[in-house]
Amino acid sequence: MTDSYSFKFEDSLASSALKNHQFSSLESYSARLSLFNLSILADYDQLVCLPELYNIDKHWYQIETAKKVIKQFGGRAMLSDEVGLGKTIEAGMICKEYLLRNQIKSLLVLTPATLVSQWQQELQEKFNITTVTTDSRQETPSEFWNSHNRIVASINTAKHSTHFNHVTGRSWDMVVVDEAHHLKNRRTLNWKLVDAIKKRFILMLSATPVQNHLVELFNLLTLLKPGLLKTEIQFKKEYVGSKDGRVPKNPEKLRQLMREVMVRNTRSVVDVKLPKRFASTITVEPTEAEKELYQAINEYLRSHSKEKTIDKLTRNNLLMRAGSSPVALLNSLEKLSERFNDSQILFLKKRASSIKQFEKTRMLVELLKKSNKKTLVFINSLPTQNYISECLQANGIKHSQFRGDMSLKAKDSAIEAFREEVPVMLATETGGEGRNLQFANAIVNYDLPWNPMKIEQRIGRLHRIGQTQDVFIFNFCIANSIEEYILKVLHDKINMFELVVGEIETILGNMGDEFDFEEMVIDLWLGNERKDELDNAFDSLGGQLLDAKHSYQKVQEFDENLFGEDLEA
Amino acid sequence: MKNQLLDAINQVISLKSGVAEYTNNDTLEALLPVDIARSLDISDSLSFSTRADTPDSYFVTYNSEIFGRFSNLLDYQGYAAALSIKYDGYLKTTGFEKKISDTLCAQNGLIRVGKSFAAPTPYILCNFSYTASADEKRLGMISFFINGLTGIPGVEIGDALSWKSDQVCLKDASTLGHINFEPLLNTAQSYASKLIDTEITPWRKSLSRKLGRDEERIKNYYNTIISEIKAKIKKKKLEGEAKEKELARSRATQMELKRKLTDLYERYDLSVTAQLHSSLVILLPTVHIECELIRKKARRSAMAIWNPYLKVIEPLRCEESNIPVTNFYLSDQEAKIISPEVWLSKVAD
C-alpha cells in the first residue's frame, strides 16, 4: 500500500462539549447527526441505496463502481468487469441509487431475448424495482411503450419496425444495455436503436466489449460520449495500429480516454480468490423396473410430441420427474390423469406406483454415509424430497429441509440447523443470495436442471467470496437418461464445472440470440430415438458449444490485452 | 423507505419551535417562526417536497444547499447529549461466579468473585467524521460505543436503544459529573483511527496500485528518452558543445522526471483528518460484579459488567494495549490485566 498516508485528529466543538459535560437535548443531537449524514450522501460518498439492498452480497468494488459512475462519469458508463464479478449488481445499484434520489423515473433495460425474465426477476428480488417486460406485453406497441415507466425489453423486439418509433419517440431517464457488444457495429439496427433513444443516463454492460476490431470500441464509446474518440477516420488514424484492427496505436492515450467512461474490475485487482472446485458425475444404473418405466414415459412423450397433444410444460415436467424418481413421476401422472382420460397414463401410473425402492436414492444415501462434508442436496420435486428425507431418516442421516413454500422464519431455521447441527440440507431452490451458505462445501445435484444457468446459480451459492474450502459437486443421473446426455455436453465437452461463474452465460450467448439450451436438448432428446442418433445429435451440440467457448476465450484474451488492469473502480 | 431529507428538516423545524406535518411521503408542510424563516431565507409558511413536480413547494434533494443553512441554525447545539434507559425487568444480583469463570480467565492468577449489585454503566456512542483526500475527497463517518467504566471501545449494547419510550433525557449533567471523558476520548480516537483505516483500505490499495502503475510508466517514458540521448551521443560520437547540449537535454529530462514524480506522489498522497462529530452518553442499567484479581502476592480489584440486554459478561480491558480481553495474564507487581499478545511480546523481550 502507498506510504504517503497521513492521519490526524482535529479538536472539535463536539470533543470540547463532551469533555466539559455540555449536553444538549436528544433532538438537537439527532438533528445534527441527520444533517451530517445528508452531507455525506450529497456528494455520493455514501450510497442511499445500500441499506435497502439486503438480498445481495455487496462487495467493495461494486460499491466503488457505483459511486464512480454516478460521481465521476455522470451516469454514462461502460461496465466491463470480468465475468462473474457482478456487472448486473453494479447496474442495479446505480439505478436504485438514482431512483431513491428521485433523479430518474423512467428506466429501460435492453437485453437479449433470453435474459429478459432474468433481468426482471433480479431487479425485483434484489433491488425491489418493479418492471414490465416485452415478454408479457398485452397492449399495442404504442400503449406499451408510452404507459410504462420501467421496462425490461428484448432488444430484438425494441428494434423491430413496429416498436422502433415508439421506443425512440419518448425520452428515458436511464437506459441499461446488457451484452452491449451487440452494439459493436454502427451499421446494425441495435446500434441505431440505442443511438436514437433519447436518454439522460446510459449504462452499457459487457465483459467482452471489443470482439474483433478496435473500431468496435469507437462505436460503443461514441454511444456513451459522442465525440470522445472524435470521428471514425480520426480514431483509426490515431489509435489503430494494424490493418486487422487488433493492435492499438497510442495505447496509453486510448486508455486515458477509456478511463473517462469505462470501469473494468478484474479478479486480480479486486482480490477475489476462490478455492478450487471438483465435479464428478454419478451415473446410476437403474433397476429393470425403473428402466422400463423411464423408457415407457419417453415412448409416451415421443408419440405425443409428434401429435402435439401434450403442452411443453407438461412434457418437460413429466420428463424431469421421470429422471427424479418414480414417486415424483407418479404425482405428476395422477394430476395428468385428472385432465386426460387416457389408458396409457393409467398404465404408467400403475407401473410407477409398483416401484418402491429407487436406485438413485440408494446411491445418494451411500454417498452421504461416506461423506464428512456439509452437503447441500438439490432436489427439484417435492415428492422426491419427502421420499429422500424418509430414507435419510431411516438410515440415521440427520438433515434439514429448505423448500420454496416455507416461511422466511422456517427457511432461516433450516439453514441455522444446517450450519450448527446437521450435515445435510435438502433444498428445492437456491434461496436468496443474502443467505450465507459458504460453511457448506459439497453440492449434490440429485435432480439436474436442464438450464446451465440454473446449475451455475446452485454452484454459485457455495462457490463464492467467503468460501474457504474446496467445493465438491456431485451430479446424479440415471444411465441413458436426458440428464446423462446433458452432463456429457456440459461436463465432458466444455468443462462447465471448471468455468468461472458467469462464463457459461457468455458462451451460450455466443450460440446466437435465440438459442435456448433447454429447448434444444429436449428437441434433440425427443427427436432422436436410437442411441446412435442421440449420440450424434448431442455430439454435434457439444461441438457447437465448444466452438462458442473457444471464440469466447479468444475475445477474452484480446480484451485483457487491450484493457489491462487500468480501468478498475 | 422513510424520507431522510424531510425527516431531517422536520427535526430542525421542531427544534426551532416551528410546526411541520407530512401531507404525504414526499411532502412536508411547515410553519416557521419568522426569524427562523428569515435566517433560512425562505417563506414562513411553505411545503418542502422531494418531488420536483409538486406544485408550490420548495424542492429539496441531497444536494440542496438549504441543508447547510439548517446546520447553521443548530449553532452550538447537538454536539453531545445524554440519556438513561429504563429497565423494567428484574436484575438479578447473585450467581455470577459461574458466568465469570465461563467468560473470564486469568492465565497466571485467580479471579475471586465478590459482591454484585445493580448499577448504571455509562456507554458513549462516539460519532467520528473524517475527510480523506487524495485524487478526490471523501467524507465519511464511523460510529461505535465505548464503555465509560472499563474504557473498552467497540462494545455492543444490544437492543437497548430500540424503544424510545425507555429513553429518558438527562438534562442534568451532574449525574455524569464523575466521569472524566478526556482519557475515554483518547482511547476512542485510537479505536476510531483503526476503523477509519479499515474503511478506506480498498481505496488506499487502489491508490497504491494506480501510483505504482503511473510511476512505472513515467519512469519508463523519461528513461527511454534519456537512453536515447545517451545512445545518440555514443552513436554520433558527439564531443564538445554538441555533446554538452545533449547532456543538458538529458539533465533537463531527469529534472522533468523528478518533477512529474513529485506531482504524482502528491496526487496519490492520502491524508485523512478526523474529528469527533457528536456523542451520546447512555446510562444503561447493568450489574456490576466486584472481582479480586490475584497474582502471587499482588491483589487488586476490578469491576466486571453484566449487560442484561446481551446477557453477557463484558470483557475486561488490557491495561497496556486497551484491547478487550477475556483470556489474559496478570502482571507480577500490580496484577495489571495484560492481553496474551502483549504478555508474549514482553516475555520474548
Side-chain angles (χ1 to χ4, degrees):
Chain A
M1 257 191 290
T2 174
D3 293 330
S4 42
Y5 173 64
S6 62
F7 191 105
K8 73 168 186 222
F9 276 102
E10 283 173 348
D11 269 341
S12 66
L13 291 167
S15 53
S16 314
L18 184 65
K19 281 189 249 179
N20 299 320
H21 296 75
Q22 289 163 342
F23 297 109
S24 317
S25 66
L26 281 175
E27 289 76 17
S28 53
Y29 161 82
S30 190
R32 181 168 292 284
L33 205 55
S34 302
L35 287 169
F36 182 77
N37 281 328
L38 289 184
S39 70
I40 297 178
L41 293 166
D43 282 341
Y44 304 101
D45 286 320
Q46 202 171 301
L47 298 179
V48 184
C49 69
L50 294 183
E52 306 270 309
L53 311 176
Y54 36 81
N55 212 12
I56 52 168
D57 295 335
K58 291 160 273 193
H59 300 298
W60 69 266
Y61 60 88
Q62 295 168 336
I63 297 169
E64 286 291 314
T65 300
K67 284 185 194 170
K68 187 170 189 171
V69 169
I70 297 172
K71 202 172 165 176
Q72 293 176 26
F73 296 171
R76 296 177 79 95
M78 166 87 84
L79 304 179
S80 295
D81 287 5
E82 277 186 340
V83 164
L85 292 180
K87 289 181 287 295
T88 316
I89 299 293
E90 289 165 0
M93 264 185 202
I94 296 164
C95 293
K96 185 74 184 176
E97 187 67 19
Y98 278 134
L99 282 166
L100 288 177
R101 287 174 185 260
N102 288 325
Q103 284 177 277
I104 62 169
K105 271 188 190 162
S106 53
L107 166 68
L108 171 64
V109 179
L110 293 169
T111 163
T114 47
L115 300 177
V116 169
S117 57
Q118 190 185 318
W119 261 96
Q120 183 186 35
Q121 195 183 347
E122 288 206 27
L123 284 175
Q124 184 66 61
E125 288 174 3
K126 296 178 176 168
F127 301 97
N128 198 18
I129 299 174
T130 307
T131 53
V132 293
T133 71
T134 43
D135 289 358
S136 56
R137 179 177 65 87
Q138 306 277 337
E139 309 96 319
T140 62
S142 164
E143 281 166 358
F144 177 75
W145 291 106
N146 289 303
S147 62
H148 299 291
N149 248 344
R150 293 173 196 175
I151 298 177
V152 177
S154 147
I155 195 162
N156 283 351
T157 306
K159 74 185 179 192
H160 192 270
S161 56
T162 51
H163 293 266
F164 193 100
N165 288 338
H166 302 293
V167 188
T168 55
R170 60 167 289 184
S171 58
W172 298 91
D173 295 327
M174 167 64 89
V175 174
V176 178
V177 188
D178 193 17
E179 305 298 346
H181 45 268
H182 292 154
L183 311 179
K184 63 186 179 185
N185 188 340
R186 271 209 303 168
R187 277 169 280 280
T188 59
L189 259 182
N190 279 347
W191 193 94
K192 286 175 184 161
L193 170 77
V194 177
D195 185 49
I197 289 174
K198 294 191 264 299
K199 57 211 171 278
R200 188 162 153 223
F201 303 126
I202 174 168
L203 301 174
M204 307 210 309
L205 281 55
S206 173
T208 49
V210 184
Q211 314 244 303
N212 290 306
H213 199 292
L214 281 162
V215 166
E216 294 165 10
L217 182 69
F218 169 82
N219 292 337
L220 291 169
L221 299 194
T222 298
L223 283 174
L224 287 173
K225 223 174 182 182
L228 177 77
L229 300 173
K230 299 178 192 163
T231 64
E232 186 175 333
I233 294 170
Q234 284 171 307
F235 172 79
K236 278 182 178 166
K237 208 170 151 189
E238 203 163 343
Y239 300 109
V240 183
S242 68
K243 272 190 179 167
D244 66 358
R246 295 177 71 85
V247 182
K249 194 158 70 176
N250 293 326
E252 240 355 278
K253 201 171 164 195
L254 183 59
R255 279 182 190 172
Q256 190 73 39
L257 291 171
M258 287 193 284
R259 266 183 232 141
E260 290 179 32
V261 280
M262 261 180 97
V263 179
R264 180 176 169 86
N265 295 305
T266 58
R267 279 194 167 66
S268 59
V269 165
V270 301
D271 223 10
V272 175
K273 288 189 190 85
L274 290 178
K276 288 183 189 148
R277 63 185 190 204
F278 301 94
S280 47
T281 302
I282 296 177
T283 310
V284 179
E285 204 52 58
T287 60
E288 207 49 45
E290 285 176 308
K291 201 195 266 176
E292 280 171 11
L293 176 65
Y294 193 78
Q295 279 168 354
I297 196 79
N298 275 295
E299 276 162 25
Y300 175 77
L301 289 175
R302 282 190 179 116
S303 63
H304 282 78
S305 133
K306 282 167 199 156
E307 295 160 21
K308 296 202 169 160
T309 43
I310 286 188
D311 61 280
K312 272 187 186 176
L313 199 68
T314 312
R315 177 196 71 184
N316 293 5
N317 181 275
L318 282 176
L319 197 47
M320 270 182 206
R321 289 189 154 211
S324 178
S325 71
V327 69
L329 180 62
L330 179 64
N331 178 274
S332 290
L333 289 168
E334 275 167 356
K335 284 178 189 156
L336 198 63
S337 64
E338 288 167 16
R339 283 164 57 199
F340 302 106
N341 189 10
D342 186 339
S343 61
Q344 271 181 294
I345 296 175
L346 294 176
F347 174 68
L348 288 168
K349 256 174 69 178
K350 206 171 159 191
R351 270 195 159 172
S353 60
S354 69
I355 302 172
K356 303 290 177 201
Q357 303 279 325
F358 315 145
E359 204 50 25
K360 201 172 156 190
T361 310
R362 195 182 64 76
M363 294 281 276
L364 173 71
V365 172
E366 288 301 308
L367 177 83
L368 294 176
K369 268 185 182 171
K370 281 186 238 157
S371 167
N372 55 1
K373 299 177 181 73
K374 282 266 180 195
T375 308
L376 182 57
V377 184
F378 283 110
I379 305 151
N380 287 343
S381 87
L382 210 51
T384 309
Q385 190 182 119
N386 292 336
Y387 173 79
I388 290 175
S389 176
E390 282 167 22
C391 288
L392 296 189
Q393 242 166 3
N395 281 279
I397 300 171
K398 289 185 176 163
H399 61 280
S400 65
Q401 292 193 63
F402 184 100
R403 294 192 312 269
D405 62 353
M406 283 163 58
S407 68
L408 281 177
K409 206 175 163 192
K411 282 180 178 173
D412 286 343
S413 46
I415 290 174
E416 190 55 23
F418 184 36
R419 186 192 346 259
E420 301 295 335
E421 299 155 31
V422 299
V424 176
M425 183 163 87
L426 307 180
T428 50
E429 56 153 280
T430 59
E433 248 184 50
R435 287 196 171 85
N436 180 3
L437 290 174
Q438 291 99 310
F439 57 86
N441 72 324
I443 297 170
V444 172
N445 282 313
Y446 185 88
D447 293 337
L448 188 82
W450 298 345
N451 182 346
M453 312 269 281
K454 284 195 179 148
I455 303 176
E456 192 177 61
Q457 202 181 16
R458 286 181 176 181
I459 299 168
R461 297 294 293 115
L462 265 63
H463 198 244
R464 61 208 293 220
I465 297 172
Q467 178 59 265
T468 52
Q469 314 168 74
D470 288 342
V471 171
F472 296 86
I473 304 152
F474 301 96
N475 299 305
F476 274 64
C477 65
I478 294 171
N480 297 315
S481 64
I482 185 170
E483 286 83 10
E484 190 186 20
Y485 278 93
I486 290 174
L487 280 170
K488 273 184 188 163
V489 170
L490 295 179
H491 189 16
D492 303 351
K493 203 82 180 179
I494 62 165
N495 285 330
M496 178 192 154
F497 297 95
E498 284 168 25
L499 296 174
V500 170
V501 169
E503 283 186 319
I504 190 70
E505 185 180 332
T506 317
I507 294 168
L508 294 177
N510 280 355
M511 297 285 286
D513 278 358
E514 305 298 326
F515 177 77
D516 185 327
F517 183 86
E518 208 171 329
E519 276 304 306
M520 173 65 91
V521 291
I522 198 151
D523 284 350
L524 293 182
W525 178 255
L526 295 176
N528 297 281
E529 216 164 320
R530 288 201 333 261
K531 187 164 184 323
D532 59 331
E533 286 174 350
L534 278 168
D535 287 347
N536 283 340
F538 277 89
D539 252 3
S540 153
L541 173 64
Q544 289 170 43
L545 280 168
L546 196 61
D547 288 345
K549 181 182 171 183
H550 290 152
S551 106
Y552 157 70
Q553 284 168 334
K554 259 168 83 179
V555 171
Q556 190 193 26
E557 206 179 309
F558 178 43
D559 281 11
E560 259 170 34
N561 289 333
L562 180 62
F563 303 122
E565 289 178 352
D566 264 19
L567 305 166
E568 64 161 303
Chain B
M1 184 200 160
K2 62 177 197 149
N3 196 320
Q4 278 177 298
L5 298 168
L6 299 183
D7 283 350
I9 295 175
N10 194 5
Q11 280 176 320
V12 186
I13 289 176
S14 316
L15 208 59
K16 293 291 165 188
S17 312
V19 185
E21 205 174 81
Y22 279 94
T23 48
N24 58 49
N25 194 36
D26 307 307
T27 311
L28 183 78
E29 215 162 292
L31 208 56
L32 299 164
V34 178
D35 55 330
I36 298 295
R38 200 176 302 125
S39 62
L40 286 170
D41 198 18
I42 51 178
S43 154
D44 56 0
S45 167
L46 81 168
S47 295
F48 292 97
S49 180
T50 48
R51 287 177 64 113
D53 53 3
T54 309
D56 304 324
S57 67
Y58 193 105
F59 176 52
V60 283
T61 70
Y62 286 93
N63 302 81
S64 297
E65 113 345 294
I66 197 166
F67 288 108
R69 283 182 262 155
F70 274 116
S71 287
N72 293 340
L73 275 186
L74 287 178
D75 207 10
Y76 288 97
Q77 287 176 285
Y79 285 117
L83 62 86
S84 69
I85 302 285
K86 274 193 295 183
Y87 187 74
D88 295 330
Y90 168 69
L91 280 179
K92 66 169 190 166
T93 51
T94 53
F96 282 103
E97 289 79 2
K98 185 162 185 330
K99 278 198 166 64
I100 291 281
S101 67
D102 285 350
T103 314
L104 303 176
C105 175
Q107 299 279 2
N108 60 347
L110 288 174
I111 304 174
R112 189 166 289 155
V113 179
K115 217 167 60 176
S116 331
F117 51 91
T121 303
Y123 290 83
I124 302 120
L125 174 58
C126 301
N127 305 305
F128 279 91
S129 61
Y130 66 86
T131 308
S133 320
D135 55 346
E136 58 171 311
K137 202 176 227 185
R138 294 183 181 194
L139 265 180
M141 176 176 271
I142 48 110
S143 299
F144 59 90
F145 288 100
I146 180 166
N147 184 317
L149 203 69
T150 60
I152 298 177
V155 289
E156 298 292 330
I157 65 164
D159 56 1
L161 289 177
S162 299
W163 292 274
K164 272 231 164 346
S165 56
D166 289 345
Q167 298 175 8
V168 183
C169 184
L170 283 179
K171 282 178 189 143
D172 180 12
S174 64
T175 333
L176 305 168
H178 62 288
I179 305 174
N180 181 3
F181 287 107
E182 187 131 19
L184 290 171
L185 206 52
N186 290 337
T187 311
Q189 280 191 353
S190 137
Y191 189 71
S193 69
K194 283 181 200 150
L195 290 187
I196 294 168
D197 196 35
T198 308
E199 195 159 288
I200 59 173
T201 290
W203 189 30
R204 271 184 77 186
K205 281 187 180 171
S206 168
L207 286 172
S208 177
R209 279 192 296 270
K210 285 178 191 164
L211 173 66
R213 180 194 67 206
D214 290 357
E215 196 178 4
E216 195 187 327
R217 280 181 192 151
I218 287 178
K219 281 181 180 166
N220 283 346
Y221 177 72
Y222 285 100
N223 286 334
T224 309
I225 297 174
I226 293 166
S227 325
E228 279 170 3
I229 295 171
K230 277 184 190 160
K232 187 179 171 187
I233 294 172
K234 202 174 163 189
K235 194 179 168 193
K236 295 194 171 175
K237 293 176 183 152
L238 296 179
E239 288 297 334
E241 200 182 325
K243 184 181 177 183
E244 192 45 48
K245 198 177 155 194
E246 288 304 317
L247 286 175
R249 200 155 74 86
S250 172
R251 281 193 297 275
T253 311
Q254 247 156 357
M255 278 171 68
E256 183 63 13
L257 168 62
K258 215 171 153 186
R259 257 199 305 274
K260 289 273 181 200
L261 287 175
T262 311
D263 282 352
L264 198 66
Y265 297 143
E266 267 171 27
R267 194 187 327 149
Y268 291 121
D269 178 19
L270 177 60
S271 64
V272 181
T273 53
Q275 56 174 267
L276 185 71
H277 170 271
S278 54
S279 63
L280 177 66
V281 184
I282 301 146
L283 274 186
L284 205 68
T286 53
V287 177
H288 290 184
I289 306 147
E290 284 177 351
C291 296
E292 188 177 29
L293 306 178
I294 306 165
R295 165 73 179 154
K296 294 180 181 168
K297 285 180 182 170
R299 284 161 189 267
R300 58 167 294 200
S301 62
M303 191 71 81
I305 290 164
W306 189 73
N307 179 333
Y309 292 90
L310 292 172
K311 304 206 180 318
V312 292
I313 302 278
E314 282 193 7
L316 298 176
R317 179 174 58 92
C318 166
E319 288 164 271
E320 299 267 332
S321 64
N322 286 328
I323 63 164
V325 283
T326 49
N327 255 297
F328 51 86
Y329 289 84
L330 297 172
S331 69
D332 291 344
Q333 303 300 320
E334 300 158 274
K336 271 167 74 175
I337 301 164
I338 316 266
S339 72
E341 294 79 16
V342 174
W343 181 266
L344 288 174
S345 69
K346 283 193 168 197
V347 170
D349 289 344

